Amino acid sequence: MSGTCTTARAAAMAARCVRVARRSLPALALSLRPAPRLLCTATKQKNSGQNLEEDVGQNEQKTEPPTAEKTLLEDKVKLEEQLKETVEKYKRALADTENLRQRTQKLVEDAKLYGIQGFCKDLLEVADILEKATQCVPKEEITDGNPHLKSLYEGLVMTEVQMQKVFTKHGLLRLDPLGAKFDPYEHEALFHTPVEGKEPGTVALVNKVGYKLHGRTLRPALVGVVKEA
């Protein structure tokens, strides 16, 4: 009898616990359900994080060009520098070539002008001999009564005149500076002496005439110069 009562009591307590549990389940479910605001905030934060990562990725893509494009830009800069250097070398080469051409042309012109310099110097000795020969003939002896001497003298004079014409034709000019101002580039002073009535520094005597070839002194005139008394 006592066992039956105990069983009935246990069954009654179990039924009461079930009823209490059924009443408590809705409240427990409500307390465990997440708040809508918290879900929205979490969602926004998640979306913001994804957007930030996407923006950072896009910025990195924009700031860092692809490897191929970067290589092409570097090659372009190198080629431009090489082109600039090549152009500068080309200009310098042109300038050097032009200078060389001008120097060569000057040398050729000088060779044409002064190539006969040695030959002219040798002929000057012949001209000096002819001049001395005509000067040594006494003027009073040149008469019709002495036809042989007269003819010889006239022949020497004609030869001397013709030689001076040939000299002039080839740019060789005679320097006879008697009475002119002494010029150290064209004259060579053999002596200095005071001469009455002559200005100091002028040529008083010409011992040997000089010559210039195309403006360049080939042989200076040997002279005596006046000095102050």
Side-chain angles (χ1 to χ4, degrees), residues 5-153:
C5 290
T6 301
T7 301
R9 287 178 183 176
M13 289 180 65
R16 188 181 298 172
C17 290
V18 170
R19 287 195 297 270
V20 171
R22 287 180 180 176
R23 293 196 195 103
S24 300
L25 281 176
L28 181 61
L30 289 175
S31 62
L32 294 176
R33 184 181 300 174
R37 291 182 180 179
L38 295 176
L39 290 175
C40 293
T41 303
T43 304
K44 289 181 179 180
Q45 291 178 354
K46 183 178 180 181
N47 293 334
S48 298
Q50 293 178 353
N51 293 335
L52 182 60
E53 292 179 357
E54 292 177 358
D55 292 340
V56 171
Q58 291 177 359
N59 291 333
E60 291 179 354
Q61 292 178 355
K62 290 181 180 178
T63 55
E64 296 183 2
T67 305
E69 183 178 354
K70 185 176 181 180
T71 304
L72 289 176
L73 289 175
E74 293 176 354
D75 293 342
K76 179 184 177 183
V77 173
K78 291 181 180 179
L79 290 175
E80 288 177 349
E81 292 178 354
Q82 292 178 1
L83 177 61
K84 184 178 180 180
E85 183 179 357
T86 303
V87 171
E88 291 296 329
K89 290 182 179 180
Y90 174 70
K91 290 181 179 179
R92 288 196 295 268
L94 282 181
D96 293 340
T97 303
E98 180 63 20
N99 293 335
L100 178 61
R101 186 191 67 80
Q102 292 179 358
R103 289 197 299 268
T104 304
Q105 184 177 0
K106 185 67 168 54
L107 291 175
V108 172
E109 292 175 355
D110 290 345
K112 290 180 180 179
L113 293 175
Y114 305 108
I116 59 174
Q117 182 171 326
F119 180 65
C120 289
K121 282 186 177 180
D122 294 338
L123 286 180
L124 294 183
E125 300 297 330
V126 179
D128 293 339
I129 294 173
L130 286 174
E131 184 178 4
K132 289 181 179 180
T134 56
Q135 291 175 354
C136 291
V137 177
K139 303 299 180 183
E140 62 274 10
E141 296 293 334
I142 305 173
T143 61
D144 293 336
N146 195 354
H148 296 291
L149 181 60
K150 182 179 180 181
S151 297
L152 179 61
Y153 176 77

Side-chain angles (χ1 to χ4, degrees), residues 191-202 204 224-229:
F191 58 88
H192 293 79
T193 182
V195 179
E196 187 178 355
K198 296 287 187 179
E199 182 183 356
T202 59
V225 184
V226 180
K227 72 176 183 177
E228 294 183 358

